[in-house]
Amino acid sequence: MNHPNCRPARRRAVSLLIMLMAAAAPSGTDQAMANATAPAARPRVVRTDAPTCDIVIASFDVKDFGARGDGAADDAPAIQRALDAAAVAGGGVVFAPAGRYVCRAGLAIPTGVTLRGDWFGPDRPDKGSILLVETGRGEEGGPSFIRLNMCSGLQGFTFFHPAQQADDPDPYPWAIEQLGGDNATVRDVTLVNPWRGIKIGPQHNELHYVHNVYGTPLEQGILIDSTTDIGRLENVRFSPNYWCESGLPGAPAGEARARLERRLLERATGIVMGRSDWQYFTDVQIDGYRVGLRITRGEMAKTTPMGTSNAQLFNVYIDRCRTALLVEETNHIGLAVTRCRFGAAALPGALALRTGPAFDKGGVQFGAVDFIQRGETACRLEGSGVVTFQNCRFQVGRGHTASEGANPTVVDVAAGALILAGCDFDIRRPRIALAEPVRAAALFGNRFRHGKPRIDNHSRGDVQIDLETPSRSFGFVTPSTDHYTPPAPPRPASRRLYVVTDAVFGAAGDGQADDTAAIQAALDAARSRGGTVYLPAGVYRVAGSLRVPTGVELRGIWDVPHHTAGEGTVLFAVGGKGRPEGDPLVQLESRAGLRGVTIYYPDQDFRNVQPYPWAV
């Protein structure tokens, strides 16, 4: 919505033309014929084989466009036709029922469109909607298989590369890429055996949302770069187990599995983050990679000093890696790491934590974090930045390689500044080393379960050490690997669907007619039995107030987080100007819902802001 006086229909038409060009769909006469013969949007409630936390509503089904899902026919053209038709309709959900969809070409998901499948979770990758990727073999630098435009989504699929071999894997392009812009979503996805998983950047992007992603990426799991506002990774799991235990053809077993595990430890990286502002990692687990999480300089660093990142990590568990957490550089804000666990592999030189020589600004704050040591050193700190360990625990893991009787170096500080306070050392005769360039260090209030540590202090800086007084101000919080399962979101009371643009209700959605009465009529019709009142893509002018009854959800096209640039379903709030105590635009009764819409006040003026009633 660039300006309130722009005509909505014209803006949408121009946006859709751009989206179709970006999608690399057929052009000219062929495209016009395809659009003319494509099935029209028909919002419907979809019954999935797998349980879902929501009621799935889709406007298009890939099988209506010729997709078979039989594991033989090339379904990529049919799926793309369905995606393009959804873009022409203004956005919505394209559903792919359970089946095996061979794809010998890539897919572009346009702005405002979500491609959704039937997903049974990582434990059953042989069931549900499976994308068999048969394109890009040997073309590491080629176009990504799935290309997400801004405000688009991918949900509920298993990706499987049937030609991939565990012994000598072939490079492929990225499985999924956010092309740029705001709000691309990947959720409920199993990446069984991709060469590279999800690429976000280095083109400018914001507000990515990656949720419930599992798999065995063979070279790199996720790349994040040039994200200038708040990306989120939630419940991401990378491990050799997902391919090896998939039950799909060629799943590595026996010696093949052992070779795969060795290869991942030798050269694969779980997640790489370049430039990202306010990145959130929550409930992330990575097991058995060369580097679990690498935080480094991004492509933007070549042209601007703002090429590094800051982030918050919570419930992140990275174990049995050559380097679990590698912090090469951050910006001046740095990292906050809470209730996490980092563990080294039982290999010479393996580290739970390393900060690199370029780590020279900002800091890393560890709170209530477990460090698992399996070699001679747990944490190696280089660079002139500040590292704080507070309320953390250091322990030796199963299979450790430290020599019997040796003093394992728990923290080896080559430079910078260190605070080590209120931590628990469950390691026999631990060693803490401070090299000459260390400019400051404070060690106090720690607990040593198996005798005092060996302190090798060669620092010429300000070093304060108190080994005698255990802190009473710190209460150790044991990190947990328990998986957090959020409560199920509320659902409408029934699966009934009421579409406001149907003739019985008559909403126009053109941004001109007042649709208040039509939308309220649909809501009232749903009152007795509950259900979903659905607003297809469009601009609905609301001059009055809407009341959503108990057991009813008022819902637009968006299945995923969205930005106003994606348009979709928009409520134009034109009533109540100058009456802040008037009826809200949308009133929710108990157990009622509002989802997937944008609320916009076209008559509001930022130069002379006017009061209105509450929106919701």
Side-chain angles (χ1 to χ4, degrees):
M1 308 302 169
N2 296 324
H3 193 279
N5 293 324
C6 291
R7 296 179 61 186
R10 181 179 178 184
R11 289 201 313 275
R12 195 156 56 251
V14 172
S15 298
L16 292 173
L17 176 61
I18 294 171
M19 286 187 279
L20 289 174
M21 294 173 63
S27 58
T29 303
D30 291 341
Q31 182 62 63
M33 293 178 62
N35 290 342
T37 59
R42 183 170 63 86
R44 72 205 83 169
V45 173
V46 174
R47 292 190 177 274
T48 59
D49 294 338
T52 61
C53 65
D54 64 343
I55 292 176
V56 181
I57 298 175
S59 295
F60 297 92
D61 188 310
V62 298
K63 293 201 171 179
D64 293 339
F65 292 79
R68 297 182 182 179
D70 60 3
D74 182 8
D75 285 325
I79 296 173
Q80 190 63 60
R81 286 195 297 270
L83 294 169
D84 294 341
V88 171
V93 173
V94 174
F95 186 68
R100 300 195 174 198
Y101 298 90
V102 173
C103 293
R104 300 193 177 106
L107 301 171
I109 302 180
T111 293
V113 177
T114 296
L115 178 60
R116 183 161 182 175
D118 198 348
W119 188 65
F120 282 81
D123 297 333
R124 291 306 307 270
D126 57 330
K127 294 186 66 177
S129 302
I130 304 174
L131 299 175
L132 301 176
V133 184
E134 295 187 3
T135 180
R137 187 176 184 183
E139 301 174 5
E140 184 175 28
S144 300
F145 171 56
I146 297 283
R147 300 179 298 282
L148 291 161
N149 286 276
M150 69 173 184
C151 300
S152 65
L154 176 73
Q155 179 173 353
F157 285 92
T158 293
F159 286 62
F160 180 55
H161 293 65
Q164 190 59 278
Q165 301 293 319
D167 290 350
D168 186 18
D170 291 309
Y172 280 79
W174 289 90
I176 303 167
E177 179 179 2
Q178 176 176 347
L179 292 176
D182 292 353
N183 288 101
T185 296
V186 179
R187 63 179 300 165
D188 300 343
V189 166
T190 305
L191 300 168
V192 176
N193 59 347
W195 179 252
R196 290 176 171 171
I198 301 172
K199 180 174 183 277
I200 301 168
Q203 58 270 39
H204 172 260
N205 65 91
E206 294 185 338
L207 299 166
H208 57 260
Y209 182 45
V210 178
H211 179 79
N212 284 358
V213 173
Y214 304 78
T216 308
L218 303 178
E219 181 73 6
Q220 187 172 322
I222 297 175
L223 169 67
I224 301 167
D225 198 7
S226 303
T227 300
T228 52
D229 200 11
I230 308 177
R232 289 179 290 162
L233 267 63
E234 299 175 354
N235 195 30
V236 174
R237 306 277 194 275
F238 293 146
S239 164
N241 296 338
Y242 293 107
W243 187 11
C244 296
E245 299 173 9
S246 66
L248 291 166
E255 182 54 34
R257 173 170 184 153
R259 286 194 294 270
L260 170 66
E261 292 175 345
R262 286 196 296 270
R263 187 193 179 282
L264 295 176
L265 274 169
E266 288 169 0
R267 59 175 298 174
T269 301
I271 299 172
V272 176
M273 181 172 66
R275 161 72 186 274
S276 189
D277 296 343
W278 314 108
Q279 182 75 38
Y280 287 83
F281 296 88
T282 306
D283 204 13
V284 174
Q285 294 187 15
I286 300 171
D287 181 77
Y289 280 71
R290 182 176 183 272
V291 177
L293 171 58
R294 178 187 174 204
I295 298 173
T296 187
R297 293 171 68 86
E299 285 293 314
M300 293 179 73
K302 297 176 180 178
T303 57
T304 172
M306 298 181 66
T308 51
S309 60
N310 58 282
Q312 298 185 49
L313 284 66
F314 180 76
N315 277 20
V316 173
Y317 307 108
I318 303 176
D319 203 2
R320 289 181 288 272
C321 295
R322 283 190 179 270
T323 303
L325 175 60
L326 173 59
V327 182
E328 293 179 342
E329 238 179 305
T330 71
N331 61 27
H332 66 283
I333 298 168
L335 308 177
V337 187
T338 308
R339 214 185 94 156
C340 297
R341 177 176 293 170
F342 302 104
L347 295 169
L351 296 166
L353 165 68
R354 182 190 169 203
T355 62
F359 172 61
D360 58 0
K361 55 183 175 290
V364 184
Q365 298 179 336
F366 295 99
V369 174
D370 250 355
F371 294 91
I372 312 299
Q373 181 167 355
R374 293 188 177 90
E376 297 295 336
T377 304
C379 306
R380 178 169 297 135
L381 309 181
E382 305 172 57
S384 56
V386 179
V387 179
T388 299
F389 300 95
Q390 181 174 317
N391 204 26
C392 295
R393 178 171 60 187
F394 299 88
Q395 57 185 319
V396 172
R398 183 177 299 175
H400 67 92
T401 60
S403 302
E404 187 67 28
N407 291 100
T409 303
V410 180
V411 183
D412 184 3
V413 190
L418 168 72
I419 298 175
L420 192 62
C423 295
D424 186 272
F425 289 79
D426 193 7
I427 295 177
R428 193 173 302 279
R429 293 183 292 277
R431 175 176 176 263
I432 298 169
L434 306 175
E436 183 177 323
V438 173
R439 69 177 188 274
L443 285 67
F444 61 91
N446 300 294
R447 178 171 60 181
F448 301 96
R449 293 178 180 268
H450 305 287
K452 290 182 180 180
R454 172 182 165 183
I455 306 293
D456 291 344
N457 179 19
H458 301 284
S459 168
R460 293 178 178 268
D462 181 9
V463 176
Q464 301 179 34
I465 300 174
D466 179 359
L467 302 180
E468 304 297 332
T469 310
S471 174
R472 295 182 179 179
S473 61
F474 298 101
F476 185 74
V477 179
T478 303
S480 169
T481 55
D482 294 340
H483 172 60
Y484 171 70
T485 302
R491 294 161 58 107
S494 78
R495 297 173 62 86
R496 291 177 173 271
L497 182 66
Y498 305 82
V499 182
V500 300
T501 52
D502 285 353
V504 66
F505 305 118
D510 60 2
Q512 305 299 320
D514 182 3
D515 286 323
T516 309
I519 298 172
Q520 190 60 55
L523 292 167
D524 292 342
R527 177 179 291 277
S528 61
R529 298 187 180 182
T532 300
V533 173
Y534 186 77
L535 300 127
V539 178
Y540 298 85
R541 194 174 182 88
V542 181
S545 178
L546 301 173
R547 189 176 185 89
V548 184
T550 294
V552 177
E553 182 174 78
L554 180 61
R555 177 169 172 178
I557 69 159
W558 297 102
D559 247 19
V560 296
H562 69 282
H563 190 279
T564 55
E567 298 188 339
T569 300
V570 185
L571 297 180
F572 263 17
V574 298
K577 186 175 182 179
R579 295 185 289 108
E581 302 306 318
D583 288 339
L585 175 70
V586 179
Q587 300 179 67
L588 300 173
E589 296 182 2
S590 64
R591 302 187 303 281
L594 176 67
R595 172 181 172 186
V597 303
T598 295
I599 295 174
Y600 183 70
Y601 291 78
D603 298 329
Q604 187 59 278
D605 185 349
F606 70 89
R607 294 161 296 193
N608 182 24
V609 175
Q610 297 298 308
Y612 280 81
W614 287 95
V616 182

